[in-house]
Amino acid sequence: MTLNAVCLTILTALASLACAHPPRPAALDRSQMTAESDGAAFSRKLAPQAFARAEGLRLDAEAALTDGRQTVAAALAEQALVAFERAAVEARKVDALSRIAVAEQASQTRKTEIAKLVALQTEIAEETKRLELRVEIETNTIARAPLAPENGARSAARAESTRSILEASRILCAAARLLAPDDAEAKEKLLGVETLLTTSGSLPAHEALTRAMDQRVACLAVLTKLKRQSARTASDPGDELLASLSPSFADLRPHRDDRGVVLSARQAWDGRQLTTAGRDIVDRVGKLAASRKFPLMVVLHPEAKTGTEKATLPIIDQLRSVFPSASLIVSTAPPSALSTPAQSKDAGRIEFIFVTP
Amino acid sequence: MRTRSLFFTAALLAPLAPAVAAPASVRDQVQTLLAAVAPNPPREISRAVNEAKAAMKRADAHRSGAAAEAETLADISDKTALEWAQLAKDVGELQSLQVQADTAEKQLQELDAQVKREKAYLEETEARRGRALAALNQLQTVVPAPESANVPQTRKAGQQ
């Protein structure tokens, strides 16, 4: 081989090297693979703007390579790779936000559903409790025993009991009316008691007694119902009243029963009018009643010897002047020959009943 | 005169030129983002921070070198550093969002369980109500009173 031939070979080789494409940067290949990967589809879908920006950088890198700016292409490809990574993170952020939104919306729906279930549960539980209570009552109610046949002494005792029960019923129904003057049921029950008080004498003793017992149950039921309806405060007003009376009215033996808070004055009247001690008691209770908002009922229990309603008229007038808005009741069941000594001693007294809800 | 005036103005503005140039601004952004990263960050964030710092070093190297397109390469490296710094921030936000999403989904699971419990409780109460109603209906069956008695009676079912 001549020298010319060697030079020609070298020149040809150099010329072919000058015309060859520069080597492709590895970062550019990686960015292209990233752009075509499965993860890219996720980024393209959830973060299209971030993905487009990364893709733009990659295309800039391809263009730089085409222009022969290899190092610039490599640097742009590196930037594109980071931008693709950011697009992937952005897509995961969108996905997380979507998870949060879906979970919160579903949680809200569940909370609404739970609130409805709880309300329904409360309603059904209350109804169930009422039904179970009724079942309990029905199960444990003792059937009323048949009354024994009538005879003279037994009839008199039944008549006495009937009167006593009706008197208690009248006071219970009157208390109910004081609590709710417009309540039709209380009005009807009171009327029923008063009618029976006047007609019981003409009925067979056993029948009158049975009806009286029914009336007492009915009056107690209506009074209890009205008390439950009006009881809205957390503390019991009756307990508060009783606690405030106990020190200053100890002589009148304050206590509670179905009707309310009761003060009981013995030897307060002599059959026709108030005694000196009685006037003092009435004045004290009058001041107390004026300072309290509870309805007041004053019940006179006459002695046997004074037993007519006419005889009590003077004292009624005296009490009316002190208690203008109170309900005044004269008991029509004075002690009789059948009364126990304790019952006889209890007659001739005045009861002041604060009807509490 | 006019030429002298232009030269004077150019001389005055010349020191301000680097302050308004883009690279300083990108650098500031990178520094601010990196400063906001909490100490001892998780591995993914730590990697992004390190990469951002490396890219800034490459940018400095390009600027101090005399290669062709050195300034262009330095700018690209700075922008790459900014991408890494923003990625660190994005990863931090992503982790926070994923914690929130997990919490929300856990709460949903608990509420689902509560719904099931409430439904079961309701079914149980409805069954109790049904039993009470049936018992009451049975108890309230009116039995005619025997003729010897003076008053009508309501007798409980099953009683003699």
Side-chain angles (χ1 to χ4, degrees):
Chain A
M1 185 179 284
T2 62
L3 184 62
N4 284 341
V6 171
C7 287
L8 186 63
T9 305
I10 292 169
L11 282 172
T12 307
L14 285 172
S16 65
L17 274 175
C19 293
H21 289 292
R24 187 177 169 82
L28 201 51
D29 285 339
R30 287 207 311 275
S31 67
Q32 187 172 356
M33 284 166 63
T34 305
E36 291 166 359
S37 67
D38 292 342
F42 179 72
S43 304
R44 190 185 286 117
K45 185 181 172 189
L46 294 183
Q49 286 183 332
F51 186 84
R53 199 177 68 82
E55 185 67 3
L57 286 167
R58 190 182 70 81
L59 293 175
D60 288 348
E62 292 282 3
L65 183 66
T66 306
D67 292 347
R69 300 161 73 196
Q70 194 182 0
T71 47
V72 171
L76 282 171
E78 288 287 348
Q79 191 185 349
L81 275 170
V82 188
F84 277 123
E85 205 167 330
R86 279 191 68 202
V89 170
E90 188 63 35
R92 287 166 68 193
K93 278 168 72 178
V94 171
D95 183 52
L97 282 169
S98 167
R99 279 172 58 203
I100 293 169
V102 168
E104 284 183 347
Q105 192 179 358
S107 293
Q108 200 52 47
T109 310
R110 300 294 186 283
K111 281 177 186 170
T112 310
E113 193 179 355
I114 288 167
K116 282 181 187 168
L117 286 169
V118 167
L120 192 59
Q121 163 68 25
T122 308
E123 189 185 322
I124 295 176
E126 282 176 5
E127 192 189 336
T128 306
K129 204 174 167 186
R130 281 197 298 273
L131 287 170
E132 286 174 343
L133 185 63
R134 282 177 61 193
V135 170
E136 188 78 9
I137 291 167
E138 291 283 339
T139 307
N140 295 308
T141 301
I142 298 168
R144 198 176 280 167
L147 294 175
E150 301 281 350
N151 64 35
R154 189 172 283 150
S155 294
R158 283 177 180 168
E160 181 72 19
S161 296
T162 300
R163 231 165 159 70
S164 176
I165 291 169
L166 281 175
E167 199 51 58
S169 308
R170 184 156 76 114
I171 294 172
L172 287 171
C173 272
R177 285 221 66 195
L178 278 176
L179 269 186
D182 297 329
D183 188 86
E185 192 184 359
K187 190 177 178 181
E188 182 201 328
K189 301 295 179 199
L190 181 59
L191 190 65
V193 172
E194 286 173 345
T195 306
L196 195 56
L197 267 169
T198 56
T199 60
S200 61
S202 60
L203 295 170
H206 68 266
E207 190 180 335
L209 181 57
T210 304
R211 287 196 190 178
M213 286 193 286
D214 288 343
Q215 288 291 350
R216 190 183 185 286
V217 170
C219 286
L220 187 57
V222 72
L223 177 60
T224 306
K225 182 194 81 177
L226 293 172
K227 282 190 173 196
R228 281 186 184 149
Q229 283 175 2
S230 57
R232 289 283 182 271
T233 54
S235 58
D236 187 333
D239 281 348
E240 287 176 7
L241 177 63
L242 185 61
S244 70
L245 296 184
S246 293
S248 48
F249 288 88
D251 56 324
L252 302 183
R253 294 173 299 161
H255 64 278
R256 285 194 76 171
D257 59 22
D258 293 327
R259 302 162 299 176
V261 176
V262 184
L263 296 172
S264 195
R266 286 201 174 91
Q267 298 171 344
W269 59 309
D270 60 7
R272 291 189 176 278
Q273 57 188 358
L274 292 170
T275 60
T276 309
R279 270 197 294 277
D280 176 53
I281 289 168
V282 167
D283 285 344
R284 283 164 60 204
V285 179
K287 285 176 189 167
L288 173 69
S291 67
R292 303 286 175 160
K293 290 179 181 172
F294 300 109
L296 178 65
M297 191 156 53
V298 181
V299 184
L300 290 169
H301 296 271
E303 291 180 38
K305 58 187 177 186
T306 59
T308 62
E309 202 165 318
K310 193 177 174 185
T312 59
L313 283 179
I315 190 171
I316 292 281
D317 288 341
Q318 281 181 292
L319 290 172
R320 177 67 67 202
S321 65
V322 181
F323 306 106
S325 59
S327 172
L328 299 179
I329 294 176
V330 179
S331 171
T332 57
S336 68
L338 294 167
S339 300
T340 63
Q343 284 173 325
S344 297
K345 190 184 171 189
D346 213 26
R349 72 196 157 99
I350 304 173
E351 273 188 322
F352 304 94
I353 304 165
F354 292 93
V355 183
T356 54
Chain B
M1 182 68 184
R2 191 175 172 185
T3 310
R4 275 179 64 190
S5 166
L6 282 173
F7 177 77
F8 186 68
T9 308
L12 277 176
L13 290 175
L16 296 175
V20 294
S25 174
V26 171
R27 275 293 169 97
D28 286 349
Q29 288 179 56
V30 175
Q31 298 292 0
T32 307
L33 287 167
L34 295 184
V37 175
N40 303 319
R43 196 169 54 83
E44 257 188 287
I45 296 175
S46 179
R47 173 181 152 254
V49 169
N50 291 338
E51 291 285 357
K53 287 175 180 171
M56 281 195 292
K57 279 184 185 170
R58 281 201 301 276
D60 291 341
H62 285 307
R63 282 202 183 86
S64 61
E69 299 193 279
E71 194 55 38
T72 305
L73 289 169
D75 284 353
I76 294 171
S77 293
D78 272 333
K79 284 176 184 169
T80 305
L82 183 59
E83 294 281 357
W84 281 114
Q86 284 170 332
L87 179 64
K89 177 173 170 269
D90 289 345
V91 169
E93 288 172 355
L94 172 64
Q95 288 175 346
S96 168
L97 284 173
Q98 282 176 332
V99 169
Q100 283 182 50
D102 289 346
T103 307
E105 284 171 352
K106 192 178 171 191
Q107 192 195 10
L108 178 60
Q109 282 175 359
E110 285 169 3
L111 288 169
D112 275 337
Q114 197 182 344
V115 168
K116 280 183 190 169
R117 281 198 303 273
E118 293 293 343
K119 280 182 179 169
Y121 190 30
L122 186 63
E123 280 173 15
E124 191 184 313
T125 310
E126 279 176 339
R128 254 179 65 204
R129 179 179 62 173
R131 285 195 296 274
L133 206 55
L136 197 62
N137 286 338
Q138 200 180 2
L139 286 165
Q140 284 181 336
T141 307
V142 177
V143 178
E147 286 181 7
S148 59
N150 289 327
V151 289
Q153 290 186 37
T154 302
R155 188 171 286 177
K156 297 173 200 67
Q159 281 191 341
Q160 295 299 315

